[in-house]
Amino acid sequence: MIATFVCNTPIGALGFVVEDDSITKVEFNFEGEVLDKTSALRKETENQIQAYFDGRLNHFDLPYTLAGTEYQQRVWQALTQIPLGSVMTYGALSDQLQSSARAIGGACRRNPVPVIVPCHRIVSASGIGGFAGQTSGILIENKQWLLNWEAQLVATCS
């Protein structure tokens, strides 16, 4: 069974697609039909998303399923190890995984659950880089907002 729900956030409506009690997709500016109004996973997701945007949560503990290649899975796993408020360049992660920066970017672009798997923490050596396949516009603004927000949280807690 597939279910969808929305969490309103400071960066817009995040849409969640759930299959078999596992989040399979997060979409920015979601405008689809809400098919889940009461599930326990929806409530827990709402609680954790709210806690993240309130500055009370720095790592998500939600069930999610990532459909992708073995390589993409390795990249996505590595992304979950980048601490809140930190960034890593495409090149640094490619060195760590013995890959190429371009391949890292491709895996980040295909991350099905952004924010939960923090692909926004990967940046270019010369700037912010891309986000969800975009290099300008609202998605880049969202990436910059998330990076600024997390940096502010870390600075406040230090």
Side-chain angles (χ1 to χ4, degrees), residues 69-80 93 96-99 104 107:
T69 67
E70 183 179 322
Y71 175 78
Q72 290 168 336
Q73 299 284 342
R74 282 191 326 132
V75 172
W76 298 332
Q77 176 57 38
L79 296 175
T80 66
L93 186 55
Q96 178 182 317
L97 297 179
Q98 299 179 342
S99 180
I104 298 295

Side-chain angles (χ1 to χ4, degrees), residues 56-135:
R56 298 179 286 114
L57 181 81
N58 62 15
H59 180 79
F60 291 97
D61 183 23
L62 294 167
Y64 57 86
T65 302
L66 301 174
T69 67
E70 183 179 322
Y71 175 78
Q72 290 168 336
Q73 299 284 342
R74 282 191 326 132
V75 172
W76 298 332
Q77 176 57 38
L79 296 175
T80 66
Q81 304 307 305
I82 303 171
L84 179 87
S86 298
V87 296
M88 179 180 271
T89 65
Y90 295 99
L93 186 55
S94 70
D95 289 346
Q96 178 182 317
L97 297 179
Q98 299 179 342
S99 180
S100 74
R102 184 176 296 274
I104 298 295
C108 288
R109 177 174 37 262
R110 289 172 183 81
N111 174 12
V113 292
V115 181
I116 294 172
V117 172
C119 55
H120 61 277
R121 296 179 188 154
I122 296 293
V123 297
S124 165
S126 61
I128 194 165
F131 193 51
Q134 303 296 309
T135 57

Side-chain angles (χ1 to χ4, degrees), residues 3-8 16 18 21 23 34-52 56-57 60-63:
T4 57
F5 58 88
V6 174
C7 292
N8 292 313
F16 293 83
V18 175
D21 294 321
I23 297 168
V34 174
L35 301 174
D36 175 358
K37 295 184 178 10
T38 60
S39 77
L41 179 55
R42 176 188 176 142
K43 288 182 184 354
E44 183 59 27
T45 302
E46 288 172 339
N47 289 339
Q48 288 191 33
I49 290 291
Q50 184 66 49
Y52 169 76
R56 298 179 286 114
L57 181 81
F60 291 97
D61 183 23
L62 294 167

